[in-house]
Amino acid sequence: MIGRVKGTSRNLAVGGAALLALVTFACGPALYEIPIETPISAKLDVTAFQRVLVAGFVAGGTEDVDTNQETVRLLRSQLRTKSSLRVIDADVMPLQDIAQDQNKAATEVNDATISTANPSTQPTALPQHIKDEKDLEPYERLFANTTYWKRIGEEYQNPLIVTGTVLFIPRTSARFVQRETEVYDGLGRRRVVPVRTYVESKGFLLKPKFIFIDGRTGATIYSETRREEVLTNAQTNVPALSSYFELMDRIVPDFLGALSTQKVKGTRVLLK
Amino acid sequence: MKPGGLVVGALVAAMTLVSAPSFADARQEARSQVEFGINVAQRGLWREAIYRWEKAVELDPTYAAAFNNLAIAYEHEGQLDKARKAYEKALELDPNNSQIRQNYELFKEINDRTGQGNKS
């Protein structure tokens, strides 16, 4: 009797599986993965400009990479191939020195005209060596100086000007992580146990702020800040320049997205 | 029972009998529109797919999969506001569907990235 019941349930299971397979085959799959390209409109209307000047950046952080030079070079080459604007080839502007000079001039003017009774009107000193975000803050004044940027605009026949700040600093991190490890007991039986391990990582943080200035007026028309970080095992020696390009690779599409329509590739799942 | 009550009861029964098959028909028709839409979308004919899926949600406004597909097509065509609304409707109808949620998360990731800067 028991044998018959067992046989019947086995038959039922086989029949059920066959029916399910038949239904699946007859109805087809219910999910369809499909590639899509999402067009993202440009954030800025640049139809008024035919040319773009990537002027330079106030750069700080590690001295292993000349962040100002590299950023200008990279953005110019990307704009040449991926935007309709003509890229102006000009010397990279040493904006940190320019800001220092402007600050010095402003201090001298203040010294001559304003009495020392009101020291709050004195411009804040600009740090010579930029180590962190706080050191970059006083340099923001340079980008608000519309007279200066209007003059640069006139010099290059009113292009769109791209400038800003770039911070590229080394990072370290140390923390405990839980990993699963195989262990064998005295009888040779395998077990997987969680083990807490201390992991040290190092890498870099890249934080650029792109500022787009209208060369006709000297006014800022758009700005965008991005922050990317890469960390690898502390024993691995990754050159700073490689990390810089790896991080810029993630940032450049958004930078280009400000000036021209971009297509973002991806996949989605269609349902029946 | 009063004769009036009988008449009302008969009418309700008749309405139910008439409407039940028509709802089933609409669902069936919506399903075939969705399938056709998938077929054409796979060939890259996204506008035709949009037409089919819009028809499907019109026929059956409770069809979560049709809203999901419509959202994907809108996304592909760059109609991001419409895409967001369609994804939200799909999730409202089928909140536990992990595929719809995943599509929506991917969409949001792209959409959020577009609005990061500051216009002066």
Side-chain angles (χ1 to χ4, degrees):
Chain A
M1 181 69 184
I2 291 168
R4 254 183 81 183
V5 170
K6 270 189 180 166
T8 314
S9 62
R10 195 171 54 236
N11 287 345
L12 271 175
V14 170
L19 187 68
L20 189 68
L22 188 71
V23 167
T24 312
F25 181 74
C27 300
L31 313 174
Y32 301 84
E33 202 171 53
I34 194 157
I36 66 160
E37 284 186 356
T38 311
I40 306 291
S41 322
K43 292 167 214 167
L44 272 178
D45 178 10
V46 292
T47 47
F49 305 98
Q50 268 116 47
R51 292 148 39 97
V52 59
L53 170 71
V54 183
F57 292 85
V58 176
T62 179
E63 286 175 356
D64 294 347
V65 175
D66 186 342
T67 323
N68 182 20
Q69 290 279 346
E70 295 298 345
T71 307
V72 170
R73 219 182 340 229
L74 179 67
L75 297 185
R76 282 182 185 173
S77 82
Q78 290 290 318
L79 286 168
R80 265 188 209 106
T81 53
K82 289 170 186 154
S83 88
S84 55
L85 294 163
R86 260 184 46 217
V87 180
I88 298 171
D89 268 316
D91 289 341
V92 178
M93 292 167 72
L95 285 188
Q96 193 176 347
D97 297 343
I98 292 166
Q100 295 277 1
D101 291 346
Q102 284 186 6
N103 200 52
K104 207 171 148 193
T107 313
E108 280 165 11
V109 168
N110 273 7
D111 282 348
T113 57
I114 300 165
S115 74
T116 46
N118 189 4
S120 63
T121 55
Q122 291 283 346
T124 328
L126 298 174
Q128 288 285 346
H129 187 70
I130 299 165
K131 297 182 295 295
D132 52 28
E133 289 168 52
K134 222 177 133 196
D135 291 342
L136 268 177
E137 269 171 30
Y139 283 92
E140 292 285 335
R141 279 204 301 273
L142 173 67
F143 308 111
N145 186 347
T146 49
T147 317
Y148 173 73
W149 291 109
K150 196 176 172 196
R151 191 164 57 74
I152 298 291
E154 280 164 5
E155 201 177 309
Y156 291 98
Q157 291 145 36
N158 303 330
L160 172 71
I161 300 169
V162 178
T163 180
T165 59
V166 185
L167 193 65
F168 183 55
I169 46 175
R171 299 276 282 181
T172 51
S173 143
R175 65 202 162 97
F176 279 99
V177 291
Q178 194 158 302
R179 283 186 182 148
E180 299 207 320
T181 310
E182 283 182 352
V183 287
Y184 292 89
D185 62 15
L187 297 169
R189 286 176 301 197
R190 176 183 166 276
R191 268 193 316 136
V192 177
V193 290
V195 176
R196 273 166 67 81
T197 324
Y198 186 71
V199 177
E200 283 182 343
S201 340
K202 62 174 187 176
F204 288 92
L205 164 83
L206 181 63
K207 193 178 176 194
K209 180 180 182 181
F210 301 114
I211 299 175
F212 298 84
I213 293 173
D214 185 337
R216 298 164 301 180
T217 61
T220 297
I221 47 178
Y222 181 73
S223 68
E224 187 172 312
T225 307
R226 284 292 310 272
R227 185 187 193 281
E228 289 289 342
E229 194 178 286
V230 63
L231 287 172
T232 50
N233 191 302
Q235 272 75 50
T236 322
N237 206 4
V238 181
L241 194 59
S242 305
S243 298
Y244 168 81
F245 282 114
E246 186 185 336
L247 294 169
M248 274 308 262
D249 253 8
R250 300 183 203 164
I251 291 168
V252 163
D254 283 347
F255 166 78
L256 293 170
L259 303 174
S260 53
T261 299
Q262 301 291 311
K263 284 196 168 181
V264 182
K265 287 182 182 175
T267 52
R268 301 286 184 273
V269 177
L270 294 171
L271 305 171
K272 210 150 102 175
Chain B
M1 190 182 272
K2 287 181 184 175
L6 270 176
V7 172
V8 172
L11 268 173
V12 169
M15 290 277 282
T16 313
L17 281 171
V18 170
S19 65
S22 75
F23 176 74
D25 286 349
R27 182 101 219 196
Q28 191 50 47
E29 177 57 23
R31 270 192 79 91
S32 47
Q33 293 291 343
V34 163
E35 281 173 33
F36 192 88
I38 291 172
N39 206 315
V40 290
Q42 284 174 323
R43 291 156 202 240
L45 303 169
W46 285 95
R47 292 211 178 147
E48 178 64 20
I50 288 179
Y51 173 75
R52 296 292 165 178
W53 292 329
E54 278 179 346
K55 221 167 169 185
V57 299
E58 206 176 286
L59 286 162
D60 182 0
T62 64
Y63 198 172
F67 277 105
N68 168 74
N69 298 355
L70 194 51
I72 294 169
Y74 284 146
E75 202 184 337
H76 187 271
E77 292 297 294
Q79 301 177 40
L80 303 186
D81 280 344
K82 281 184 165 183
R84 180 183 290 275
K85 279 179 195 155
Y87 274 129
E88 282 168 0
K89 183 71 185 171
L91 276 172
E92 185 191 311
L93 293 167
D94 192 355
N96 299 321
N97 191 311
S98 59
Q99 296 293 348
I100 299 176
R101 192 159 293 281
Q102 191 190 326
N103 285 336
Y104 185 46
E105 291 301 324
L106 290 168
F107 162 76
K108 275 205 299 186
E109 201 185 304
I110 291 174
N111 205 29
D112 292 349
R113 256 171 44 188
T114 61
Q116 273 179 346
N118 299 308
K119 266 193 184 167
S120 305

